[in-house]
Amino acid sequence: MTRLVAALAVAFVILFDASAAHALDIRAAVLRVDYPELAPISRFDRVPEDLAFAGARLADEDNGTTGQFLGQTYETRTVAVPPGEADAALDELLEEGIGIFVVLARQEDLLRLADRAGEDALVLNAGASDMALRDGACRANLLHVAPSSAMLADAVVQFAAWKEWRRLFLVHGSNPPDRALADAYRAAAVKFGLEIVEEREFEDTGGSRRTDTGHVLVQRQLPVFMQDAADHDVVLAADASDVFAPYLPFHLWTPRPVMGSGGLRPVSFDPALEAWGATQFQRRFEELTSRYVREEDYQAWLALRAVGEAVIRTGSADPVALRDYALSEEFELAAFKGQPLTFRDWNGQMRQPILLYDGRINVSVSPQEGFLHQVSPLDTLGLDRSESACTAFEGDTP
């Protein structure tokens, strides 16, 4: 017995020394750029002050649960700044020795911040859905956990195809992001063989969300705006500016399902998801924050969990090593979506299922049954290898 105790003590010391020898302090930052916005359409859409930051807190807890046995500690700084202060905020974080950044910013700011961070940094996009970021404007140090607009559009149009709703009425806003989203829906319709029988543009006059009168005005405009349309099965709303799409259901001239920016919406995550162990995730998030999860929270959590998984597997805290592992065939991440998530090595986009959510329940999940791909059904959503003009990742592990 004495010898057994002594042997166990020696083994403990060896394990402790090995853990200490490989101790890692993983420091990251979530940088959220806050833009001037109009008041939300509904009080339920008010943006919480800890948006995305709450997901980062939960990710640190989850990473730390495993990391404590490996001598790893995780600390994430959270910074919210207006656009004009983003560069200075990033510089301060770089001076502190942080090289891993989760960024929620618009495309132009995100690209500038990624370039400013440098090629030795790892930047994870947790907010912007712009196609250019995954296409010709991609960056080698920039990975995307936020779904692209093409992934979101493909998810919706796949569902319409599966339901055999083949005639689409596309209504889009007048702002540049609305038109870009409309482009994604046009491409998805071609991709899956559906027909856009008519398109209309709803003009943003700038006052529709400033007053209660503005809300009423939009609701009164929509039935007249939507009348005399070509025969269609479903209305597709491309309203990235959130001006009219929430009002479309029940304010149509011809009653039809609404999908896209209103009605049935494609999302990365939502508070109704209970499958695949998501109930446990939801409960922990609600205990931590006293509110429901939002997409930005999940995407910040996802970004930092991807970092944590790479750290555990590589035993390294070097941003370049973590990025290389994330892009490799060995990387996969369980994230309460029914299958492992991976990164596309041609443009840094994370493959993931897209939930179709009506505001209360998950109606479906894309990719839909029967949509196949030679590599992964998840690659039926968004830009495939041959469709992306991104060259920044050439030479990485295929």
Side-chain angles (χ1 to χ4, degrees):
M1 179 63 70
T2 302
R3 290 180 178 178
L4 176 61
V5 172
L8 290 173
V10 170
F12 176 80
V13 169
I14 292 173
L15 287 172
F16 180 83
D17 287 345
S19 175
H22 294 86
L24 294 172
D25 295 321
I26 299 89
R27 302 182 65 224
V30 178
L31 177 56
R32 192 186 72 201
V33 181
D34 293 341
Y35 301 92
E37 300 284 354
L38 295 176
I41 285 178
S42 166
R43 61 189 298 268
F44 290 104
D45 295 327
R46 289 177 180 169
V47 178
E49 292 184 0
D50 63 349
L51 182 69
F53 298 164
R57 288 170 57 198
L58 187 58
D60 276 354
E61 289 187 4
D62 291 347
N63 287 334
T65 298
T66 302
Q68 65 179 333
F69 298 105
L70 301 172
Q72 299 170 358
T73 60
Y74 293 83
E75 178 187 356
T76 301
R77 285 278 310 277
T78 55
V79 181
V81 294
E85 299 177 14
D87 289 4
L90 178 68
D91 290 346
E92 182 177 335
L93 294 168
L94 288 167
E95 290 174 1
E96 294 178 14
I98 294 175
I100 301 170
F101 303 94
V102 179
V103 179
L104 293 95
R106 293 177 182 170
Q107 174 179 299
E108 60 275 14
D109 292 324
L110 176 61
L111 288 175
R112 189 184 67 257
L113 291 169
D115 291 341
R116 196 177 187 92
E119 61 184 13
D120 292 333
L122 173 59
V123 182
L124 297 110
N125 166 28
S129 63
D130 308 74
M131 290 304 302
L133 295 169
R134 289 86 172 166
D135 204 14
C138 66
R139 300 292 193 270
N141 66 344
L142 179 60
L143 305 183
H144 310 279
V145 297
S148 69
S149 58
M151 293 172 66
L152 301 173
D154 286 349
V156 169
V157 175
Q158 265 196 23
F159 180 71
W162 181 74
K163 295 289 288 185
E164 298 189 358
W165 296 338
R166 309 199 68 82
R167 296 167 299 177
L168 312 176
F169 179 12
L170 175 61
V171 184
H172 63 83
S174 58
N175 297 308
D178 308 328
R179 291 171 177 163
L181 184 56
D183 288 341
Y185 278 110
R186 292 186 193 101
V190 172
K191 184 175 182 178
F192 299 113
L194 304 190
E195 180 184 5
I196 296 177
V197 297
E198 186 170 345
E199 292 188 28
R200 293 185 185 178
E201 180 175 283
F202 188 90
E203 184 179 358
D204 180 7
T205 61
S208 59
R209 290 171 58 185
R210 287 191 171 89
T211 65
D212 291 337
T213 303
H215 291 279
V216 174
L217 180 62
V218 172
Q219 294 178 64
R220 287 178 177 174
Q221 286 177 331
L222 281 174
V224 177
F225 173 79
M226 298 292 288
Q227 69 179 334
D228 299 326
D231 190 27
H232 56 282
D233 299 316
V234 63
V235 175
L236 284 183
D239 180 23
S241 306
D242 202 29
V243 171
F244 68 90
Y247 301 107
L248 274 175
F250 307 106
H251 290 94
L252 302 174
W253 189 267
T254 304
R256 291 291 185 271
V258 176
M259 299 193 296
S261 302
L264 190 64
R265 298 182 293 109
V267 296
S268 63
F269 206 74
D270 66 68
L273 184 64
E274 296 182 305
W276 308 305
T279 299
Q280 182 252 10
F281 173 86
Q282 305 276 16
R283 287 175 177 169
R284 289 190 297 113
F285 184 87
E286 290 159 16
E287 288 175 2
L288 184 68
T289 64
S290 299
R291 64 174 177 84
Y292 293 127
V293 68
R294 296 171 65 113
E295 286 184 274
E296 295 88 346
D297 298 308
Y298 176 74
Q299 287 160 193
W301 176 87
L302 194 59
L304 290 171
R305 279 293 297 119
V307 169
E309 183 68 17
V311 170
I312 289 168
R313 300 302 178 185
T314 63
S316 172
D318 175 60
V320 175
L322 300 180
R323 167 198 168 278
D324 290 346
Y325 180 78
L327 291 169
S328 73
E329 293 181 354
E330 286 73 31
F331 177 87
E332 60 179 38
L333 181 66
F336 310 108
K337 284 195 168 183
Q339 55 187 300
L341 309 189
T342 60
F343 284 98
R344 292 172 180 152
D345 61 18
W346 61 87
N347 65 1
Q349 172 67 58
M350 177 174 273
R351 299 178 176 94
Q352 57 184 295
I354 301 298
L355 312 180
L356 299 175
Y357 176 59
D358 72 352
R360 189 173 183 185
I361 64 169
N362 290 294
V363 175
S364 187
V365 181
S366 288
Q368 298 293 317
E369 184 177 354
F371 288 85
L372 304 178
H373 188 276
Q374 62 270 30
V375 176
S376 166
L378 292 174
D379 283 340
T380 64
L381 305 178
L383 290 178
D384 205 348
R385 184 184 297 273
S386 62
E387 299 169 324
S388 175
C390 176
T391 59
F393 293 83
E394 291 181 356
D396 289 319
T397 303

